[in-house]
Structures are given as C-alpha cells and as structure tokens.
Amino acid sequence: MSPGTDTGSNDRNDERFENLRQELRRGSLPLAVLAALRTEHYGYTLRKTLAEHGMAIDEGTLYPLLRRLETQGLLVSQWREEDKRNKRFYRLSPDGKLILKQLLTEWKSIHASLENIF
C-alpha cells in the first residue's frame, strides 16, 4: 500500500469531514428556515422549498426547529384545513422579520470575512 492510501486514515478523514459538514449545516438551518418563511408554508412545502435550494432537511430536524423558533417568538403558526386535511402554516412574526434582517447582515459579514481569509 502506498503512502496516503491508508483506508483507516481515509475513513477517519471522511468521518471528520462529515461531522464538520453537518455542524456547518446545522448552524445554517435556522437562517434558511427563517428566510424561506418570508412566504407562508406548511411543513411539507417548507421542506420541499429548502430542498429545491440545496438545504434538504428531514422532518425530525425541521419540526423541532419550527417549534423552537415559534417559542422564541420568531414565527407564528395557524392550523387550517387544506385538501380536507388540517395543516399547520408557518410565517415570520414581526420579531422574526427583524431578527432575519439582523441575521442576514451578520451572515454577510461572516461570509465577507471568510472570503478575505480564503
């Protein structure tokens, strides 16, 4: 086996990369959800919208995040019947709009800093 082809080392690198990638995504999801909820959605259409923009999220992650953001006063929700099914629709609250604006400004600053570092 030649240097650099140690499968154990590659497996560790793959695992480290995957862990860091997941951490980076987790930190970005609240911003992505808030931005997507500038337009009202229920869970399924929100997941679909996020996935279409490269931010796939599973239900087990999305719904607890929605509940947390609503508890923090950033979202409001309303149950409505659509297609003979009750669905919970989410949208930004006034505070959520303000926080989204602030977070977007912060994200742009972080992005610019990273670009300078790169």
Side-chain angles (χ1 to χ4, degrees), residues 14-110:
D14 290 347
E15 183 179 338
R16 285 185 290 204
F17 169 77
E18 186 58 29
N19 288 340
L20 288 168
R21 186 182 77 80
Q22 288 297 326
E23 190 174 327
L24 183 62
R25 283 182 47 80
R26 272 192 302 274
S28 303
L29 285 173
L31 179 58
V33 167
L34 289 172
L37 287 174
R38 290 178 288 192
T39 303
E40 185 179 68
H41 288 280
Y42 65 94
Y44 174 77
T45 60
L46 177 58
R47 284 184 65 218
K48 188 175 173 182
T49 297
L50 291 168
E52 287 170 355
H53 290 90
M55 292 294 289
I57 182 172
D58 63 43
E59 290 178 7
T61 301
L62 177 61
Y63 290 105
L65 176 58
L66 289 171
R67 284 191 294 276
R68 189 172 77 242
L69 294 171
E70 187 171 19
T71 298
Q72 293 171 350
L74 305 178
L75 302 180
V76 292
S77 67
Q78 179 183 38
W79 286 98
R80 288 200 306 263
E81 186 176 318
E82 184 179 275
D83 301 327
K84 298 183 181 179
R85 293 182 57 208
N86 283 330
K87 298 177 182 178
R88 191 172 194 165
F89 287 82
Y90 297 89
R91 62 181 165 77
L92 288 179
S93 69
D95 283 349
K97 290 176 184 178
L98 175 63
I99 293 293
L100 174 59
K101 184 177 178 180
Q102 292 171 327
L103 286 174
L104 286 172
T105 299
E106 182 65 17
W107 182 84
K108 288 175 185 176
S109 174
I110 291 168

Side-chain angles (χ1 to χ4, degrees), residues 5-18:
T5 60
D6 176 11
T7 57
S9 177
N10 286 340
D11 290 345
R12 282 191 305 275
N13 285 337
D14 290 347
E15 183 179 338
R16 285 185 290 204
F17 169 77
E18 186 58 29

